[in-house]
Amino acid sequence: QVQLVESGGGSVQAGGSLRLSCVVSGYGFSWNCMGWFRQAPGGEREGVANIEPLLGSTNYADSVKGRFTISRDNVQKTVYLQMTALKIEDTAMYYCAASPMRECRVDMEPAWYNYWGQGTQVTVAS
């Protein structure tokens, strides 16, 4: 059974930082693109960042470039999202997802990912 379990969400003031983690079990992981997505109330799920399994190549949404960093530990089967300089508009439910492909797509469309976690809430207050 494939499981993706996110943690690390919470409430923080604008300008603060959070580190999200996603532990994967029952899945290959080491050969798969992994991504972080977010969905605000009433909004669509959007790609935040993704990372390839071997060389660790990354892609970021323009809205988070320079503030968020995605990383992964293939031994621990964990993917991280370090978020700094958080803004109110970063408030959303954050999900990690696994793709069946090794190569990460720049467009970060959710349809390319076949396993999802349950999400962890990030709330940024002024």
Side-chain angles (χ1 to χ4, degrees), residues 9-74:
S11 297
V12 64
Q13 286 192 319
S17 300
L18 285 172
R19 188 195 195 202
L20 307 183
S21 300
C22 173
V23 179
V24 180
S25 60
Y27 196 63
F29 187 84
S30 298
W31 296 96
N32 300 91
C33 169
M34 296 294 299
W36 281 99
F37 294 77
R38 66 186 182 186
Q39 188 168 14
E44 295 186 352
R45 191 165 297 190
E46 62 173 354
V48 174
N50 59 26
I51 183 168
E52 294 189 345
L54 298 179
L55 297 181
S57 300
T58 57
N59 296 294
Y60 293 93
D62 288 342
S63 58
V64 306
K65 280 180 182 176
R67 300 188 298 121
F68 291 10
T69 303
I70 188 172
S71 60
R72 64 190 291 162
D73 183 332
N74 288 338

Side-chain angles (χ1 to χ4, degrees), residues 96-111:
C96 73
S99 167
M101 301 180 293
R102 182 185 304 181
E103 184 174 336
C104 287
R105 292 175 61 95
V106 174
D107 58 26
M108 291 188 280
E109 284 292 328

